[in-house]
Amino acid sequence: QVQFVESGGGLVQPAGSLRLSCVVSGIMFSIYDMGWYRQTPGNEHETVAVISAGGITNYADSVKGRATISRDNAKNTVYLQMNSLKPEDTAVYYCNGRFKQWRWGQGTQVTVSS
């Protein structure tokens, strides 16, 4: 059974930073492209950043220059460092595969507000 356990969210002031973590179990993590996604009420999951099995990254225009996705295959973990956070970054953040996806985890809430 594939599981995603996201953590690291919280309430942060505008211009602040957060580091999100996602521990993945139930798959051979190292061979899959992974991604971070976010969702606001009433909307679909939006791709924030993706990382290939080989470490190549790509970002949504809305976070380019402010976000860094990384992975640690030894720990089956994918990270998202978010800097210069804006109120519009407020969402529930999830990780999942990029080209192959499984059931979504619980996500981690990020709220950017003063």
Side-chain angles (χ1 to χ4, degrees):
Q1 181 180 352
V2 182
Q3 256 194 323
F4 302 102
V5 180
E6 299 94 346
S7 62
L11 174 63
V12 62
Q13 292 190 340
S17 298
L18 281 176
R19 189 193 195 208
L20 308 182
S21 300
C22 175
V23 179
V24 184
S25 59
I27 60 171
M28 194 175 292
F29 175 78
S30 63
I31 70 171
Y32 288 102
D33 291 16
M34 299 299 298
W36 278 97
Y37 307 85
R38 64 189 181 188
Q39 187 179 35
T40 52
N43 293 310
E44 298 291 323
H45 289 91
E46 171 195 8
T47 303
V48 177
V50 295
I51 184 166
S52 72
I56 297 171
T57 59
N58 208 346
Y59 300 91
D61 287 344
S62 58
V63 303
K64 204 167 288 184
R66 302 188 295 119
T68 302
I69 187 172
S70 60
R71 64 191 298 161
D72 184 337
N73 289 338
K75 296 181 178 180
N76 282 15
T77 301
V78 59
Y79 303 97
L80 182 69
Q81 175 72 41
M82 293 279 292
N83 301 321
S84 302
L85 283 159
K86 304 175 181 180
E88 50 263 43
D89 293 318
T90 296
V92 180
Y93 284 70
Y94 302 85
C95 70
N96 209 316
R98 181 183 183 186
F99 299 113
K100 178 173 176 62
Q101 294 190 329
W102 296 267
R103 184 176 178 179
W104 296 93
Q106 300 274 24
T108 186
Q109 174 72 49
V110 172
T111 302
V112 184
S113 175
S114 55

